[in-house]
Structures are given as structure tokens and as C-alpha cells.
């Protein structure tokens, strides 16, 4: 049994889990040994923050620029899992933001993700009427799930949230508008 409790975030996609702890970076702060979030977990966490008032894409680009050569790319790909398009988006933006630094991203990573995209494009689109935008923004895609009939990707079994958790986060977001 784990010694920590997972927390649910507005996108339901960024829960602190045992893998965070297993990949934590050991450090010492003011003489106290601590475990810090690994850059891979930080990238994964920040990659999904795309609210109107907060977008962490610059942080993701800065992390790639600062430590791309030290990243465990296989682990990063694994952590993004079926949401690999989000990682690909940030990697494409990185090449745009820093054209002279794009070689910092391993060619095999880009080739793998572009191969996935090519393979996906050769298949018929999913018949699910699903909106994954809610994984990126808890507020900007509410119209899709509340008015346009899309399924919310945060909702179980597709996602990790219950209807009650989504309702609680949505009420808080609407209250803070």
C-alpha cells in the first residue's frame, strides 16, 4: 500500500502516483535530503496546462532546452501514453521556438511520434463523440460537453474522474470566472 494519497486535478490527467516517487530526483536543500519531481514528470504535468489564463507551454519548452539531453525519453513517451499527440505538439512548438536547438530532441522520438501520427491518419476516425479538450482546459471546452453532445474525456472509464468530481471542478471554475 502506498504512503501517499493521489489528488484529482481539474483535467483528471495529472495525478501524483507511485511512478512520480520512483523517478524523483534526490537532492539536498538546506542540509535536508529531499526528493524533487523529475523533469519528465514536470513536463508531463505542465504539458496539459492550456487554460485561457494559464498556459505552461513556455515552461515545457524551457525544460526541453535545459535538459533534453538528460531526459529519459522512453519513460516520457510511456507517461504520455495514449495522449502522445500532446507531447508531439510541444515538441513541434519547441522546434519553432528554438530553431537552432531542435536537434536537442532525439530524432528517434520525433520519428516515433510522427509514425504514430501517420499510422493514425490512415485509419478511419473514431466513432466516439469524444472531446479530449477537457484534458487541456477545464473551462474552454465546457460548451462541447454541456451543449454540443460530446463525451467528456475526463469521465470514467475513458478518463480518471467521476461525474461528481467533474461537477465539483466545473462549479469552482464557473464561480471563479
Amino acid at each position: 500500500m502506498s504512503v501517499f494519497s493521489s489528488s484529482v486535478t481539474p483535467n483528471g490527467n495529472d495525478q501524483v502516483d507511485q511512478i512520480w516517487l520512483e523517478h524523483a530526483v534526490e537532492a539536498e536543500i538546506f542540509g535536508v535530503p529531499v526528493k524533487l519531481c523529475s523533469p519528465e514528470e514536470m513536463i508531463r504535468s505542465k504539458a496539459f496546462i492550456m487554460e485561457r489564463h494559464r498556459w505552461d507551454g513556455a515552461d515545457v519548452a524551457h525544460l526541453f532546452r535545459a535538459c533534453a539531453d538528460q531526459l529519459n525519453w522512453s519513460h516520457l513517451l510511456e507517461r504520455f501514453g495514449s495522449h502522445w499527440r500532446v507531447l508531439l505538439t510541444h515538441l513541434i512548438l519547441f522546434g519553432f521556438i528554438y530553431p537552432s536547438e531542435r536537434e536537442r530532441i532525439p530524432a528517434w522520438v520525433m520519428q516515433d511520434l510522427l509514425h504514430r501520427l501517420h499510422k493514425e491518419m490512415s485509419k478511419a476516425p473514431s466513432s466516439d463523440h469524444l472531446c479530449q479538450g477537457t484534458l487541456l482546459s477545464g473551462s474552454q471546452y465546457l460548451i462541447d460537453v454541456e451543449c454540443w453532445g460530446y463525451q467528456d474525456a475526463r469521465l470514467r472509464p475513458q478518463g480518471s474522474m467521476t461525474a461528481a468530481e467533474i461537477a465539483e471542478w466545473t462549479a469552482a471554475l464557473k464561480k471563479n470566472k
Side-chain angles (χ1 to χ4, degrees), residues 39-89:
E40 294 86 2
E41 299 301 333
M42 199 176 305
I43 288 167
R44 183 178 173 277
S45 173
K46 289 180 167 292
F48 286 88
I49 307 297
M50 296 187 189
E51 291 290 348
R52 182 181 311 274
H53 62 283
R54 180 173 171 203
W55 181 71
D56 285 2
D59 290 347
V60 172
H62 293 148
L63 284 162
F64 287 146
R65 191 193 65 73
C67 57
D69 56 338
Q70 301 160 19
L71 292 177
N72 180 338
W73 286 97
S74 295
H75 175 66
L76 190 61
L77 287 167
E78 184 179 310
R79 288 299 273 169
F80 272 86
S82 65
H83 303 312
W84 57 267
R85 276 178 167 255
V86 176
L87 176 59
L88 177 59
T89 299

Side-chain angles (χ1 to χ4, degrees), residues 55-168:
W55 181 71
D56 285 2
D59 290 347
V60 172
H62 293 148
L63 284 162
F64 287 146
R65 191 193 65 73
C67 57
D69 56 338
Q70 301 160 19
L71 292 177
N72 180 338
W73 286 97
S74 295
H75 175 66
L76 190 61
L77 287 167
E78 184 179 310
R79 288 299 273 169
F80 272 86
S82 65
H83 303 312
W84 57 267
R85 276 178 167 255
V86 176
L87 176 59
L88 177 59
T89 299
H90 283 282
L91 291 173
I92 289 170
L93 280 173
F94 176 80
F96 175 80
I97 296 164
Y98 299 112
S100 65
E101 304 286 338
R102 67 176 189 241
E103 76 281 352
R104 297 178 59 80
I105 307 304
W108 71 266
V109 172
M110 292 300 292
Q111 289 166 353
D112 177 274
L113 292 170
L114 291 171
H115 175 72
R116 293 181 196 193
L117 182 64
H118 181 72
K119 187 176 174 183
E120 182 182 88
M121 290 174 59
S122 67
K123 295 179 182 176
S126 171
S127 61
D128 296 340
H129 203 58
L130 182 68
C131 178
Q132 295 187 128
T134 54
L135 299 175
L136 305 172
S137 170
S139 61
Q140 295 185 81
Y141 297 94
L142 288 178
I143 193 168
D144 303 78
V145 296
E146 291 179 348
C147 300
W148 297 345
Y150 284 88
Q151 294 175 311
D152 192 330
R154 299 173 295 176
L155 189 60
R156 291 181 184 152
Q158 173 77 19
S160 63
M161 296 178 77
T162 65
E165 289 168 333
I166 291 172
E168 184 178 343

